Structure formats: structure tokens, C-alpha cells
């Protein structure tokens, strides 16, 4: 008879939880950085090509938009399995922290790109047109007008994306990604250890709350500028 549901913290290896927490933070940090580096330019490209009157750029927007929508629609647990050959090709492994980063980025970057596009659409068109009228180049408009004006929305979108990465790292634990997700599944679920499961959940909640509070602080700061 299963004893799942009984709390027992006496057998918990806290050093193992410390290692798992560090692994989770490493996955979030590395994948968050690459998501920013890929998703931000992708979102800017989506915004700029959607505004263009050129048939070629309109076509580029349609292609990128379809790819982004496809990647966003695939459940992460399916995506991570489907990407195993690509992950092995890119980083030489499909397990552990390193093996989890590619699928995390491929799942999160399109999501963040859409949030970037949405944030940029909120910028007053009059401000953009005024910058062009003053002789600003497209690069200057993007760097000095669009990104600056949309900064609170961009930071809010990045916060939402990073928080979503925490959930994805937990799901990646099902294929041996490491971190709190793997600990919760291997020890908490398969071994019916409710204590391990509870501690893992609490630590993930703490990480999410910390990330959300930090993101909110940055959003408020840039909103007042």
C-alpha cells in the first residue's frame, strides 16, 4: 500500500537539495540569457517587418510569425523529447543542466519574442515618426526610441518568460535534466516521498517569488524615468 501523502523530513538530504537548487538556478540563468539574446532581436524583427509596406518584408514577417507560433504551440515536454537529437548535436549531451538549455531556449525565445513585439506596439507611433522626421536612422530609432520607450513592457515580458522557465526546468526533470524537478520526480514522485516533493515545491515557489519581485522592481524603476 502506498504511503504517498505522509510527511517525513528526517531522511531528506539537504546538501542534495542545495546542489539541485544551484542546478535549477544555472538552468534559469543560462537559458534566460540566451532567450534574451535571441528573443529580443527576433521580437524587434517581428515588429519592424510587420510595419513594412515591402512585400518581401511582409513575407519575412509571415514566415517568422508561423515559426514562432509553431514553437509556442508545442507543449514543452514534447518539444524537449523531439529536440533530443539537436540538443546532442549542439552541446554533446541530452541530460543534466547543459542538455536542458537548448530546449529551454527554443521554447522560451519565441514566447519572449511575441512579448517584445507586443511591448513595441505600445510605443506611441507619433514618437517613432518624429524620430524619423528628425533624420534618425532605423538603428537609432530602435535603440534610442523603441527600446527606451518600451523598456517597462520589455522587462515585464522578460520577467514572465523567466518565471515560465522555472516551470519548464521542473518538467525537464522527467528526462534527467537535474535540478529541483528531477529531485521532485525521482524521489518525491517515484518513491512516494511527500517530504521531498513538498520541499522541492516550496523552493521553486521561493525562486519564482524572488524573480517576480526583482522583475517588478525593475519595471517600476524604468516606469518612473
Amino acid at each position: 500500500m502506498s504511503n504517498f501523502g505522509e510527511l517525513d523530513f528526517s531522511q531528506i538530504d539537504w546538501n542534495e537539495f542545495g546542489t539541485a537548487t544551484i542546478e535549477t538556478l544555472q538552468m534559469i540563468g543560462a537559458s534566460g540569457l540566451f532567450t534574451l539574446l535571441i528573443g529580443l532581436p527576433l521580437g524587434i524583427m517581428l515588429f519592424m517587418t510587420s510595419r513594412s509596406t515591402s512585400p518581401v518584408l511582409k513575407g519575412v514577417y509571415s514566415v517568422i510569425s508561423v515559426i514562432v507560433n509553431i514553437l509556442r504551440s508545442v507543449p514543452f515536454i514534447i518539444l524537449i523529447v523531439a529536440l533530443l537529437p539537436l540538443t546532442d548535436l549542439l552541446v554533446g549531451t541530452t541530460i543534466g543542466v547543459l542538455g536542458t538549455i537548448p530546449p529551454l531556449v527554443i521554447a522560451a525565445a519565441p514566447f519572449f519574442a511575441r512579448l517584445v513585439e507586443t511591448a513595441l506596439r505600445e510605443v506611441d507611433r507619433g514618437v517613432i515618426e518624429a524620430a524619423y522626421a528628425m533624420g534618425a536612422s532605423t538603428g537609432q530609432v530602435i535603440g534610442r526610441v523603441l527600446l527606451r520607450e518600451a523598456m517597462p513592457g520589455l522587462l515585464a515580458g522578460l520577467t514572465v518568460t523567466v518565471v515560465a522557465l522555472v516551470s519548464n526546468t521542473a518538467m525537464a526533470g522527467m528526462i534527467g535534466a537535474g535540478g529541483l524537478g528531477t529531485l521532485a520526480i525521482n524521489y518525491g514522485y517515484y518513491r512516494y516521498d511527500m517530504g521531498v516533493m513538498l520541499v522541492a515545491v516550496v523552493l521553486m515557489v521561493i525562486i519564482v517569488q524572488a524573480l517576480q519581485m526583482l522583475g517588478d522592481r525593475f519595471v517600476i524603476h524604468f516606469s518612473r524615468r
Side-chain angles (χ1 to χ4, degrees):
M1 181 176 179
S2 169
N3 65 344
F4 194 78
E6 297 180 6
L7 289 176
D8 181 12
F9 299 103
S10 62
Q11 302 299 319
I12 290 179
D13 187 340
W14 296 105
N15 289 330
E16 195 169 17
F17 264 105
T19 300
T21 302
I22 292 173
E23 288 177 346
T24 296
L25 293 175
Q26 288 174 335
M27 285 187 279
I28 295 170
S31 58
L33 175 60
F34 283 110
T35 294
L36 176 62
L37 294 176
I38 296 173
L40 181 59
L42 187 59
I44 294 172
M45 185 180 299
L46 283 168
F47 173 75
M48 298 301 291
T49 53
S50 68
R51 288 167 43 89
S52 176
T53 57
S54 168
V56 174
L57 293 181
K58 284 289 186 182
V60 170
Y61 173 79
S62 298
V63 171
I64 297 176
S65 183
V66 168
I67 294 174
V68 166
N69 289 339
I70 290 174
L71 292 175
R72 287 177 60 205
S73 64
V74 180
F76 180 71
I77 192 63
I78 296 176
L79 182 66
I80 195 172
V81 174
L83 291 174
L84 286 176
L86 178 61
T87 300
D88 187 44
L89 179 65
L90 291 175
V91 297
T93 182
T94 58
I95 61 174
V97 173
L98 191 60
T100 310
I101 294 174
L104 283 173
V105 174
I106 292 173
F111 177 72
F112 180 55
R114 280 300 187 195
L115 295 180
V116 170
E117 182 187 12
T118 301
L120 296 179
R121 289 184 185 276
E122 297 298 320
V123 177
D124 189 350
R125 295 177 67 91
V127 176
I128 300 173
E129 293 171 358
Y132 276 120
M134 295 175 62
S137 64
T138 299
Q140 290 173 328
V141 169
I142 293 173
R144 299 181 182 179
V145 179
L146 280 174
L147 295 181
R148 182 172 297 180
E149 293 292 324
M151 187 59 69
L154 295 174
L155 290 172
L158 182 61
T159 301
V160 170
T161 303
V162 172
V163 168
L165 283 172
V166 179
S167 299
N168 287 345
T169 62
M171 283 188 282
M174 296 188 69
I175 62 166
L180 294 170
T182 295
L183 207 59
I185 292 170
N186 290 345
Y187 292 90
Y189 180 71
Y190 290 131
R191 299 187 184 182
Y192 303 104
D193 192 331
M194 191 62 181
V196 170
M197 181 76 76
L198 181 60
V199 172
V201 170
V202 169
L203 288 174
M204 287 183 187
V205 169
I206 291 173
I207 291 173
V208 168
Q209 291 297 320
L211 291 171
Q212 188 65 59
M213 289 175 61
L214 182 62
D216 290 345
R217 281 182 175 272
F218 277 110
V219 170
I220 293 172
H221 173 74
F222 281 95
S223 297
R224 292 174 176 173
R225 295 183 63 178

